[in-house]
Amino acid sequence: MPHTPASPRFSRRAGRIKISATKLMPMLAAEVGGCVSLGQGVPSFATPDFVVDAVCAALRHDPAAGKYSLQPGLPDLRRAVAGLLAHEKGLHADPVGEILIAVGAMEALLAAMLVLVDRGDEVIVPAPSYPSHVEQILLAEGTPVFARLRPDFSLDPEAVARAVTEKTRAIIVSSPHNPTGAVFAEPDLRAVADIAIRHDLTVICDDTYDSLSYDAPAFSLAALPELRERLVAVGSFSKRFALTGWRVGHAFAPRPIMDQMLKIHDCATICAPMPGQIAALAALTGPQDVFTGFARTLARRRDLACRRLDALAGHLDYIRPAGAFYVMARYHEDIPPMDMAVRLIREAGVITIPGDAFGPGGEQSLRLSFGAAETELNEAFDRLEEFFGRERGETF
Ligand SMILES: Cc1ncc(COP(=O)(O)O)c(C=O)c1O
């Protein structure tokens, strides 16, 4: 009998999820070459010198710097994060037992999802949404239930209320918002908090972009004491401190939830990387002017992106983003967003992310990031003007 190798069997869990388009488009662009990016959500800034110096000094002089930290994270960093949450949100957390230092906000969110969601449980996701929220719910074998944002991308508590069923376990809210750049209004957030309390839901508050709100400070659900016992509040060092590659994030959860999350964290990573934690501690406890400077620069890039989009009126419509570094641009051609994004890579040399990768509300749209340096943004918009001009036989 000829030997037929057994085909490998994969879990249902892995079969339910996919790699998000935010990661796929740069891979496609790498094959084409010469592209400029309005794609992935990375602020362009280099790690500040004082953070690099702190990490190098620790690695040179402290043998512990290259070893595991305590499993929930460096005690000094957990204390500093608790201080930040108390100062900015009035959320008073015990750094021992209620704060986790994770491998980015991503790992903290996944730990929360795996703790809160069982097979068949539902999680409400305002949409369009950050794709990984959805993939994480699916990985936990739960069901994402979309609650559409209003057409102006504001949070719609009525849509959230309509999405609640007896299977709903949690709602995930992120403001400033990826992919729309919306900053949700306090009354809408409070109305969603009331829904969570009324239906006994956990609120997962993803505050990855909390410091990047350009017109007024963003209100966070983490600031509501009445949610404290049903809250997982996740933060990140990636965007505010431009430390995307150091992979450090944090989470607050009340002890019963945190005790469970720590088991997942232990299974997945043991601890966040020590050099990353040292960088995060230096960033959080060092001079903040460099980071507020990053936010001011991103606000200027927001204005630049809006000016350039205004010049493309007739080709692209958009709603002015108030935070994060994203804008959803709606095009007029009747083709699917992936086809449009692929055309832009091949014909214009510009990376964008297909809007429908962000779920309902992203149809006929592209997500543009304005995290890149101004020269790159201008180059990308020049290329878009040329592309859309060619399309319509116009010149700009
Ligand atoms: C809404 C949102 N949450 C979480 C993350 C992941 O952040 P981190 O780099 O801290 O894992 C991102 C990254 O783009 C994001 O946009």
Side-chain angles (χ1 to χ4, degrees):
M1 287 274 283
H3 174 72
T4 326
S7 59
R9 263 190 75 247
F10 302 117
S11 67
R12 257 168 51 101
R13 203 174 304 111
R16 284 165 67 92
I17 62 169
K18 58 182 185 309
I19 294 183
S20 74
T22 19
K23 326 283 183 331
L24 288 177
M25 301 317 283
M27 292 191 231
L28 181 62
E31 286 167 27
V32 174
C35 292
V36 285
S37 184
L38 299 175
Q40 215 175 340
V42 185
S44 64
F45 317 110
T47 303
D49 284 343
F50 76 89
V51 174
V52 174
D53 291 345
V55 176
C56 291
L59 287 169
R60 283 221 179 77
H61 304 299
D62 179 2
K67 301 195 167 69
Y68 297 130
S69 71
L70 285 181
Q71 188 255 8
L74 276 176
D76 283 353
L77 182 54
R78 280 184 279 148
R79 269 193 293 275
V81 166
L84 179 78
L85 294 177
H87 175 68
E88 293 194 342
K89 296 173 190 168
L91 172 62
H92 295 279
D94 177 2
V96 182
E98 290 185 325
I99 298 287
L100 161 69
I101 306 300
V103 183
M106 195 68 126
E107 191 230 336
L109 289 164
L110 181 60
M113 220 56 92
L114 291 174
V115 161
L116 297 170
V117 176
D118 257 331
R119 182 177 292 184
D121 287 346
E122 295 176 358
V123 179
I124 298 175
V125 188
S129 71
Y130 177 53
S132 298
H133 290 159
V134 171
E135 299 303 331
Q136 291 186 340
I137 296 164
L138 293 171
L139 187 61
E141 302 196 56
T143 307
V145 177
F146 294 113
R148 286 284 287 266
L149 299 180
R150 298 190 187 101
D152 64 356
F153 294 147
S154 58
L155 182 63
D156 184 354
E158 283 167 23
V160 171
R162 279 196 303 275
V164 177
T165 74
E166 73 274 12
K167 291 189 184 158
T168 312
R169 292 280 290 115
I171 166 157
I172 186 157
V173 177
S174 188
S175 170
H177 184 242
N178 177 6
T180 62
V183 175
F184 298 148
E186 182 174 336
D188 290 336
L189 286 163
R190 285 185 179 274
V192 167
D194 290 344
I195 295 166
I197 293 168
R198 208 162 46 244
H199 295 280
D200 193 20
L201 312 178
T202 303
V203 171
I204 303 171
C205 175
D206 178 353
D207 276 349
T208 289
Y209 297 94
D210 55 1
S211 66
L212 301 178
S213 178
Y214 306 122
D215 303 324
F219 180 78
S220 168
L221 284 174
L224 294 179
E226 61 269 35
L227 286 185
R228 194 185 191 285
E229 297 315 307
R230 56 178 72 252
L231 175 74
V232 178
V234 173
S236 175
F237 287 89
S238 288
K239 317 288 174 166
R240 170 186 197 144
F241 299 99
L243 294 175
T244 53
W246 295 84
R247 306 305 304 126
V248 194
H250 52 86
F252 157 84
R255 195 133 201 174
I257 301 179
M258 183 55 79
D259 285 349
Q260 302 300 316
M261 285 174 62
L262 287 173
K263 294 191 286 184
I264 310 274
H265 175 63
D266 193 32
C267 267
T269 67
I270 303 178
C271 66
M274 263 294 259
Q277 294 195 59
I278 294 165
L281 182 60
L284 193 49
T285 55
Q288 295 301 293
D289 48 337
V290 57
F291 305 114
T292 46
F294 288 172
R296 274 197 303 277
T297 303
L298 286 167
R300 282 198 299 277
R301 290 181 189 169
R302 186 266 309 253
D303 295 343
L304 167 70
C306 290
R307 273 198 310 279
R308 299 296 310 251
L309 281 165
D310 289 341
L312 281 161
H315 302 280
L316 295 174
D317 303 322
Y318 73 101
I319 290 163
R320 185 177 171 81
F325 35 82
Y326 308 107
V327 54
M328 286 290 257
R330 202 173 166 84
Y331 55 84
H332 298 174
E333 285 75 4
D334 186 21
I335 60 169
M338 179 55 102
D339 293 1
M340 190 67 184
V342 170
R343 280 195 64 191
L344 287 175
I345 286 178
R346 292 197 198 289
E347 297 172 35
V350 179
I351 307 175
T352 62
I353 309 298
D356 54 354
F358 303 93
E363 302 82 8
Q364 221 174 325
S365 300
L366 301 164
R367 190 198 71 177
L368 313 181
S369 161
F370 50 86
E374 297 190 7
T375 42
E376 189 168 356
L377 288 179
N378 275 318
E379 175 62 29
F381 279 105
D382 288 349
R383 293 183 186 193
L384 289 182
E385 285 189 355
E386 210 183 302
F387 172 86
F388 284 109
R390 271 201 313 269
E391 278 280 283
R392 296 264 174 95
E394 297 165 12
T395 44
F396 280 82

